[in-house]
Amino acid sequence: MSGIEIQKLSLQQKYRLQTDDLTINNRGQLKAILKPYNYEKEPHLSWTKLGYLNDVCAGCIITRLEDTSLYIDWIAVLPHYQKHGLGKKLVEWAQEYCKDKGMELRVIATEDTSKWFQEIGFVPENERDAWFGKGIQLVYAQ
């Protein structure tokens, strides 16, 4: 596990954010995170990470390879644990993975979620069909 500490300035509380590999042994944690979101695909072990906030498994990122890009297929943080930087920490893992492999990081997002991705460094490229309908494809600007 790799961890960083962030500080929530309004409450002066510290949160420990960590990511960990998905394994056969912790698949149940992933299913618990995805259950409220009705995600039914089978994630690839190598490109899926779990996110922990103060040792509580509270989020995940599921990615896939397409051509020379790594796509974020799904990112989820349980509602009670949102707004503490865990989603951004999960995206940082994908950014580092792409940097190490010389790949681009992309996501196809809804109009609402594309705003969050733009806030953390993604830029819109074009419209693209996705499982949820028309989406906006964004690429991470390194």
Side-chain angles (χ1 to χ4, degrees), residues 128-142:
R128 185 164 166 188
D129 289 328
W131 63 269
F132 54 82
K134 283 281 184 202
I136 301 166
Q137 180 169 283
L138 299 105
V139 63
Y140 179 67
Q142 298 183 11

Side-chain angles (χ1 to χ4, degrees), residues 74-116:
W74 196 267
I75 185 166
V77 176
L78 294 173
H80 182 71
Y81 298 96
Q82 293 176 1
K83 307 288 187 209
H84 299 296
L86 186 55
K88 185 175 180 184
K89 175 68 177 165
L90 289 163
V91 171
E92 287 172 357
W93 163 80
Q95 291 165 340
E96 283 300 312
Y97 181 88
C98 288
K99 184 178 176 181
D100 291 347
K101 303 291 184 189
M103 303 170 70
E104 289 188 316
L105 179 61
R106 288 189 159 80
V107 64
I108 303 171
T110 65
E111 192 171 321
D112 289 339
T113 58
S114 72
K115 293 173 186 168
W116 180 78

Side-chain angles (χ1 to χ4, degrees), residues 34-41 74:
L34 295 176
K35 187 175 182 178
Y37 302 103
N38 297 318
Y39 184 88
E40 298 191 15
K41 291 183 188 176
W74 196 267

Side-chain angles (χ1 to χ4, degrees), residues 2-47:
S2 61
I4 63 168
E5 283 193 3
I6 63 168
Q7 190 169 15
K8 188 172 181 183
L9 298 176
S10 61
L11 297 176
Q12 297 298 312
Q13 294 178 323
K14 290 186 179 183
Y15 298 101
R16 189 174 62 258
L17 304 175
Q18 299 172 286
T19 61
D20 196 14
D21 295 332
L22 178 65
T23 66
I24 298 299
N25 296 329
N26 62 14
R27 264 187 129 90
Q29 293 176 322
L30 177 68
K31 288 181 181 183
I33 293 165
L34 295 176
K35 187 175 182 178
Y37 302 103
N38 297 318
Y39 184 88
E40 298 191 15
K41 291 183 188 176
E42 188 63 30
H44 193 284
L45 289 176
S46 298
W47 302 306

Side-chain angles (χ1 to χ4, degrees), residues 43-58:
H44 193 284
L45 289 176
S46 298
W47 302 306
T48 301
K49 289 283 182 187
L50 297 175
Y52 294 83
L53 179 69
N54 292 341
D55 299 324
V56 174
C57 187

